[in-house]
Amino acid sequence: MPDAPTIPEVTEDRPTPVVFRADGTRHPASEQISIEPVDFRNPTFLAEGELRRLRSTHIDYLRALTSRLSSLLRSEIALNLGKFGTQSCESFIEGLKSPSQIAIFRVSPLNGVAYIEIPPKLAIALTTRILGGREPAAEPDVYLTEIETALLEDVIGVITAEWCEQWRDQTAMNATLIGHETNPRFIQATAKSAMMLVVGIEVAFGRCEEVIQIAVPLPMIEPMMKRLHAARARETGMQRADGNVAWRNSYDDIAIPVHAEMVVARMTVEALLKLQKGTVLELPAAVLEAAQIKIAGAVRFTARAGQQDGFIAVQITDKILIPKK
């Protein structure tokens, strides 16, 4: 039996898309472009510049927090910024140990709830010091009593209050402690897919060296990020006094599609099905006076259609105002 004929694979020639960088320069076609899906309603990461500004803000935060905790504990304590980045809430919770002292707090007027995770050994060392003791407990994996938990709330109150104080130039904020949890599996205040800004604070308190983690949902800090962007734009001169972004010369070479459209006629579906090659449609003179100019798919001008020097041409008659959001 003869072999079946081989069907050649059909390949579709698609034009190479033109990609522009943020500064308006064209991305070289010779360089590989990596394309990844992004859900703008639930961003998965912060840009490098945003992380850098947030990191700088939290370094200042730790300087102020060190002074306040030393005053509360009447003892020297060292704080350094360790882990700093974004991860999903599910990943953050899975990385927590059990038992662990987890405080859940809310910041008004921001949306969402955040977490502070304090290892048990450090939590006991802090409460012991508040009671006048000097040495932390030897056993790290223990549960705090109700009295120790109440004493730890003083430390948590200082941590959250100072965090709010770092944004005092942006808006007035107040932190409220919602509750405590010792088993991370029971935390359900935030969706597992939500992205969090996780800040690791390396704590050296006497002979106890542990890490406190603060996890804040990205939508919760979005208002502060917008204000940071605005402040940054004013500092760099990228935004004029009228609020419009300054024009870059590199934008001049970006190609934008421009279309002229006219409504030729309106007809029933029955009449539309009868159209065929050679059919002549009457074009009222009023149609030529009501052409529309679309720029990148959006209507921006009204125009008059006609001829000039043997070419079909349109003359712009008016500009369509874009309502401000």
Side-chain angles (χ1 to χ4, degrees), residues 134-151:
R134 294 186 178 275
E135 294 296 330
E139 177 59 46
D141 297 329
V142 296
Y143 293 92
L144 271 65
T145 64
E146 292 185 5
I147 295 178
E148 291 171 331
T149 301
L151 291 172

Side-chain angles (χ1 to χ4, degrees), residues 165-311:
E165 185 68 15
Q166 290 303 307
W167 308 100
R168 59 187 179 277
D169 295 335
Q170 310 295 330
T171 184
M173 295 188 298
N174 296 304
T176 303
L177 183 63
I178 299 176
H180 296 273
E181 187 56 71
T182 56
N183 192 331
R185 293 184 301 173
F186 297 141
I187 297 178
Q188 298 180 351
T190 304
K192 293 183 178 180
S193 60
M195 297 304 298
M196 316 280 288
L197 173 68
V198 181
V199 182
I201 304 174
E202 299 175 350
V203 182
F205 183 53
R207 292 181 295 179
C208 181
E209 295 183 359
E210 295 289 345
V211 176
I212 295 176
Q213 294 192 89
I214 302 177
V216 184
L218 293 189
M220 186 173 173
I221 62 173
E222 185 177 358
M224 286 94 77
M225 291 305 305
K226 289 181 179 179
R227 295 184 179 94
L228 282 177
H229 286 314
R232 179 63 177 173
R234 288 192 298 269
E235 292 174 1
T236 58
M238 287 302 298
Q239 189 168 1
R240 299 197 296 261
D242 57 3
N244 295 324
V245 178
W247 184 261
R248 293 178 182 267
N249 293 332
S250 55
Y251 296 161
D252 295 338
D253 297 329
I254 298 178
I256 299 177
V258 179
H259 298 87
E261 296 184 359
M262 294 176 290
V263 180
V264 176
R266 297 185 183 278
M267 59 182 65
T268 63
V269 175
E270 181 182 5
L272 182 63
L273 295 175
K274 293 180 180 180
L275 292 179
Q276 56 185 345
K277 184 178 180 179
T279 301
V280 177
L281 299 177
E282 293 185 0
L283 191 63
V287 172
L288 300 177
E289 302 290 333
Q292 294 182 336
I293 304 298
K294 286 187 174 181
I295 299 178
V299 179
R300 292 291 180 260
F301 302 95
T302 57
R304 179 184 301 109
Q307 289 186 355
Q308 183 175 358
D309 300 331
F311 294 94

Side-chain angles (χ1 to χ4, degrees), residues 15-43:
T16 303
V18 180
V19 180
F20 293 90
R21 296 191 178 97
D23 60 358
T25 58
R26 180 174 295 188
H27 196 289
S30 59
E31 295 184 8
Q32 186 68 24
I33 301 175
S34 177
I35 301 176
E36 298 180 0
V38 177
D39 184 358
F40 290 97
R41 294 170 299 180
N42 186 23

Side-chain angles (χ1 to χ4, degrees), residues 9-17:
E9 182 180 356
V10 178
T11 59
E12 181 181 357
D13 294 333
R14 297 182 179 178
T16 303

